[in-house]
Amino acid sequence: MTPEIVILAMIAAFLGLRLYSVLGRRAEHEEEPIQGRFEGRQGQPGAPRVPAPKVDGKPEAKAEERGRAGQPQRAREMPLAPPSVERGLAEISGADRRFDAYAFLEGARSAYRLILESFWKGDKAELRALCDGDVYESFAAAIDARAAAGETMDNRLIRIEDVAIVSAGVESGYARITLRFRSDIAAVTRDAEGHVIAGSLDDAIEAVDVWTFSRQLNSSGPDWLLDETDAG
């Protein structure tokens, strides 16, 4: 074997080893699962679910939460609240490890809209699924009285301006959170012939509602029920 052939063989062997080394390491990295920032928490059993009526599945992240494309999502902070509310939320979190204050607020906003729209339409079945017994009975009585008078409501929830936690805590085996909703509503009442007898769709009025949601801590389901209503 000539020296030139020996040298060429050694170069080929060296290049082959380098190529194997690079491809081998790349393959190993490609086989390793890449765990997302929140995958370890939300992918595990008992991770927080959206704890509000009729808000199932995983909502898409908002644009401000996703951030710019290709950049990591910033960790969320607890909502700003008075110390008494923070203690109450911590008490609920200690009793229910699935509780997530952000998920609750998002779900509560959806529940507020759904409950109002169900009441305006007279949908008792939907209200029964979203409210506890006392609140449901009061809504149902108002719907029956409206129907007896031949009146209908053509209300529109224009926007929810603000949602603030008023109080939170655990009471007799139930987690309870009281929220103050400030919203703009266009309210119209029509008679049996469809004529407007009160309100206007052109002028929205500000409404302030103080609602309390509760959830039994030993319940296997994630849903909260509206169990108290008041005007702000």
Side-chain angles (χ1 to χ4, degrees):
M1 181 178 297
T2 64
E4 290 82 4
I5 296 178
V6 173
I7 292 173
L8 289 175
M10 292 176 63
I11 293 174
F14 174 78
L15 293 176
L17 289 173
R18 290 291 297 169
L19 183 61
Y20 174 82
S21 177
V22 172
L23 293 177
R25 282 199 296 266
R26 181 177 299 173
E28 290 172 359
H29 285 300
E30 289 174 351
E31 291 174 359
E32 293 176 359
I34 300 175
Q35 186 176 28
R37 180 165 186 171
F38 300 104
E39 187 176 334
R41 291 183 300 168
Q42 298 189 9
Q44 295 175 352
R49 298 165 65 186
V50 179
K54 297 298 180 182
V55 183
D56 299 325
K58 297 181 179 179
E60 293 184 0
K62 297 181 180 178
E64 61 267 25
E65 293 176 352
R66 291 194 299 265
R68 296 179 180 178
Q71 294 185 1
Q73 183 182 29
R74 290 184 297 180
R76 299 186 303 182
E77 298 176 355
M78 284 293 290
L80 294 177
S84 59
V85 171
E86 290 183 350
R87 288 193 295 269
L89 293 176
E91 185 179 13
I92 295 174
S93 295
D96 183 358
R97 309 305 294 179
R98 298 177 299 175
F99 176 71
D100 183 316
Y102 273 95
F104 174 84
L105 285 174
E106 183 179 349
R109 292 173 70 95
S110 298
Y112 178 74
R113 177 182 293 274
L114 185 57
I115 290 171
L116 286 180
E117 292 177 348
S118 298
F119 173 66
W120 296 335
K121 293 184 299 183
D123 189 341
K124 292 184 181 179
E126 192 72 68
L127 290 171
R128 187 183 293 276
L130 300 171
C131 308
D132 79 342
D134 293 340
V135 174
Y136 168 76
E137 291 298 335
S138 65
F139 280 142
I143 291 172
D144 291 340
R146 196 167 66 213
E151 298 175 352
T152 58
M153 301 186 77
D154 187 16
N155 293 7
R156 315 281 174 83
L157 178 59
I158 306 302
R159 69 182 62 86
I160 299 175
E161 295 284 358
D162 181 60
V163 182
I165 302 177
V166 176
S167 64
V170 175
E171 180 181 336
S172 301
Y174 282 81
R176 291 173 56 85
I177 300 179
T178 300
L179 304 172
R180 179 183 293 109
F181 296 89
R182 188 166 58 86
S183 60
D184 293 331
I185 296 175
V188 169
T189 301
R190 302 181 185 274
D191 62 16
E193 286 73 37
H195 302 135
V196 175
I197 59 177
S200 170
L201 289 178
D202 297 327
D203 298 318
I205 60 174
E206 183 180 73
V208 180
D209 295 298
V210 179
W211 287 9
T212 300
F213 292 91
S214 67
R215 176 182 175 276
Q216 191 171 3
L217 290 173
N218 61 6
S219 172
S220 59
D223 293 346
W224 294 65
L225 295 177
L226 175 63
D227 75 357
E228 189 175 338
T229 63
D230 199 358

